[in-house]
Amino acid sequence: MRRASIQALGRLGTEGEEKVLLQIVTSDTRSVARDAAEVLLRVRAVAADTIWSSATTNPNQFVPITVIRLFKSASKWQQIEIYLQAAMSQERGLSECAVGMVSSLIQRFNRSFAQPSGTELEVASTLLETASSRLPVSVRTELGFLLKTITN
């Protein structure tokens, strides 16, 4: 019933209900939290990193893994930020999933020529340094090269 309500809300409009949907992402079961996050991402009512922060506070360890897969629709710079944050997770499954997703993102990186803002570039560079020990050498090297090329 809750999932159907969230899906209907997504079709009818989320205006004024963003906080409620974020609370659902923070506290509900995996499937309900996923639907709430999906609606928020689809209507772009809340920033992707806010949705991600909410998912990581959910006590159900499977919610972040379920929600992180939804960010393919976010901008590539938001994806990089979220995936690198998740790669540093102590939860092994989430960390491995995030490494796979950042690797996949790098493979299709040039499909979108969207340039990062100064802040996005700085955040991505800092997160790459922090998460580098969790990333395979090939991913570290490729992402480092991309970030270096953009700054020049």
Side-chain angles (χ1 to χ4, degrees):
M1 180 63 106
R2 292 188 318 261
R3 289 182 67 205
S5 298
I6 290 167
Q7 291 167 0
L9 187 62
R11 288 184 196 99
L12 298 173
T14 61
E15 190 173 321
E17 300 300 325
E18 294 85 358
K19 288 184 181 182
V20 172
L21 290 170
L22 280 174
Q23 181 60 38
I24 291 169
V25 173
T26 302
S27 61
D28 219 311
T29 63
R30 176 174 39 182
S31 60
V32 177
R34 179 195 178 283
D35 285 352
E38 184 177 39
V39 166
L40 287 168
L41 282 168
R42 186 178 57 231
V43 299
R44 300 184 189 275
V46 177
D49 59 337
T50 302
I51 297 166
W52 176 243
S53 293
S54 295
T56 60
T57 61
N58 191 305
N60 183 329
Q61 68 181 9
F62 298 109
V63 168
I65 294 173
T66 302
V67 170
I68 199 170
R69 293 184 174 117
L70 300 174
F71 289 104
K72 290 181 180 178
S73 64
S75 80
K76 68 181 170 186
W77 297 104
Q78 289 175 327
Q79 289 178 55
I80 287 172
E81 179 180 343
I82 290 166
Y83 298 159
L84 290 176
Q85 287 174 358
M88 294 181 287
S89 172
Q90 297 301 317
E91 178 59 44
R92 184 175 177 212
L94 176 59
S95 180
E96 289 174 356
C97 179
V99 168
M101 295 187 82
V102 77
S103 179
S104 175
L105 176 65
I106 289 170
Q107 291 174 357
R108 61 183 200 286
F109 189 81
N110 284 333
R111 289 186 185 168
S112 160
F113 294 104
Q115 294 298 312
S117 68
T119 305
E120 290 172 328
L121 186 59
E122 184 178 319
V123 167
S125 297
T126 302
L127 286 171
L128 177 59
E129 287 178 32
T130 307
S132 65
S133 65
R134 297 278 184 109
L135 301 172
V137 174
S138 61
V139 172
R140 252 191 338 248
T141 304
E142 289 179 57
L143 188 53
F145 174 77
L146 290 170
L147 294 173
K148 185 178 179 181
T149 302
I150 290 168
T151 59
N152 291 335

